[in-house]
Amino acid sequence: RPGIVVFLFVSIPPLATAGGPGGCITVQAGEDWRTSIIDRWSRDFYSRDWNAASCIVFASVFARSRNDRAYEAGMFRSISAIAALLFAAAILYAGNGLQSTLLSVRGDIEGFPTTVIGLLASAYYAGFILGCRLVPGMIQGVGHIRAFVALASIASSSALAHILFVEPIAWGGLRFITGFSFAGLTMVLESWINERATNENRGKILSVYRIVDLGAVTIGNGLLAIAPPEGFQLFVLVSILISIALVPVALTRSSSPAPLETAKLDIVQ
């Protein structure tokens, strides 16, 4: 099986001690000397070393298999402890993935210039940057769960507001608010998951999280085909997905992570 490393130690007798008197191989008249050497080494290997080598191989495989099973059991317990957070992340990122694509398609249908559609995407990341700066203070003040609930409610409401104000400036402001909210939502989820990980399994747990993240965004983009983008149904679906993501976090039995510790970066110096 992949991942099993077996070290096989066998001793092949050297030529100087592999034969008859004086450590030399006796070759009969008319016999090929190469055949005699190979036969002598083969007989010595199978008669003296094969049993010991087999024990080493089987012991190594058995020990490695036990270690693999113990490690897999530990990983399963670690993933189970954050299953609610991963489920919330999947629903949340599916809604965000659908909304990002939906707004570009709907903006084109409404006749928005291509430059304006690009600026709408930029407004989201402008809000995301500001959220990275301000949300840690919010989390320190009210805690992870309350901050998550508040920001998810704002993001859900913003998705519905796109239906009421089909206008580039309004959409730009809503995308800014959505980016701000998702900066905080992502911060809560990732800091929570990171605290539940250990130095031994942090890489694998974060890899699972990224698989859930990218897989959910891909599924969210696929949801664009279930309703016409010129209608209101997909905007409602985005709001529903973001709202449902509140449930696993609000009902999780996992204890909240420790308050965030922020580090300031002095760009001027």
Side-chain angles (χ1 to χ4, degrees), residues 7-96:
F7 295 94
L8 176 61
F9 298 96
V10 292
S11 58
I12 303 298
L15 178 62
T17 62
C24 299
I25 294 178
T26 304
V27 181
Q28 302 295 330
E31 184 181 3
D32 187 356
W33 65 272
R34 290 168 296 187
T35 303
S36 298
I37 293 175
I38 293 173
D39 290 344
R40 179 65 183 86
W41 280 359
S42 299
R43 286 195 303 271
D44 189 82
F45 170 75
Y46 284 109
S47 63
R48 296 195 302 109
D49 296 320
W50 178 246
N51 291 333
S54 300
C55 292
I56 294 174
V57 170
F58 293 134
S60 300
V61 171
F62 180 72
R64 184 66 179 175
S65 298
R66 291 184 61 185
N67 292 336
D68 284 349
R69 288 195 296 269
Y71 182 78
E72 290 169 359
M75 278 298 300
F76 179 78
R77 288 191 298 268
S78 299
I79 297 299
S80 299
I82 60 171
L85 299 176
L86 294 176
F87 184 59
I91 300 174
L92 187 69
Y93 295 146
N96 193 33

Side-chain angles (χ1 to χ4, degrees), residues 37-231:
I37 293 175
I38 293 173
D39 290 344
R40 179 65 183 86
W41 280 359
S42 299
R43 286 195 303 271
D44 189 82
F45 170 75
Y46 284 109
S47 63
R48 296 195 302 109
D49 296 320
W50 178 246
N51 291 333
S54 300
C55 292
I56 294 174
V57 170
F58 293 134
S60 300
V61 171
F62 180 72
R64 184 66 179 175
S65 298
R66 291 184 61 185
N67 292 336
D68 284 349
R69 288 195 296 269
Y71 182 78
E72 290 169 359
M75 278 298 300
F76 179 78
R77 288 191 298 268
S78 299
I79 297 299
S80 299
I82 60 171
L85 299 176
L86 294 176
F87 184 59
I91 300 174
L92 187 69
Y93 295 146
N96 193 33
L98 172 59
Q99 185 179 28
S100 299
T101 305
L102 172 61
L103 292 177
S104 298
V105 174
R106 180 62 179 268
D108 184 68
I109 293 174
E110 297 293 338
F112 293 175
T114 304
T115 303
V116 172
I117 295 175
L119 290 175
L120 293 177
S122 300
Y124 172 88
Y125 290 104
F128 198 96
I129 293 172
L130 184 63
C132 292
R133 179 66 181 87
L134 299 181
V135 171
M138 179 192 301
I139 296 176
Q140 289 177 341
V142 301
H144 285 74
I145 294 179
R146 288 188 177 92
F148 188 91
V149 170
L151 293 171
S153 299
I154 294 173
S156 177
S157 301
S158 298
L160 293 176
H162 286 85
I163 307 173
L164 302 177
F165 308 101
V166 185
E167 197 270 331
I169 296 178
W171 277 22
L174 293 172
R175 289 303 287 162
F176 183 89
I177 294 173
T178 302
F180 181 92
S181 301
F182 267 88
L185 295 171
T186 304
M187 191 180 302
V188 170
L189 289 173
E190 293 186 357
S191 61
W192 207 332
I193 291 173
N194 184 62
E195 186 172 288
R196 292 293 172 269
T198 63
N199 291 335
E200 289 74 20
N201 61 15
R202 179 169 285 105
K204 287 185 171 57
I205 286 181
L206 293 180
S207 297
V208 172
Y209 167 74
R210 291 301 295 168
I211 292 172
V212 171
D213 175 8
L214 298 177
V217 171
T218 302
I219 293 173
N221 279 273
L223 295 176
L224 186 67
I226 68 175
E230 60 269 16

Side-chain angles (χ1 to χ4, degrees), residues 230-253:
E230 60 269 16
F232 67 90
Q233 294 89 344
L234 291 177
F235 291 95
V236 174
L237 179 58
V238 170
S239 179
I240 291 174
L241 290 173
I242 297 175
S243 299
I244 291 178
L246 291 169
V247 178
V249 175
L251 299 181
T252 182
R253 296 182 179 179

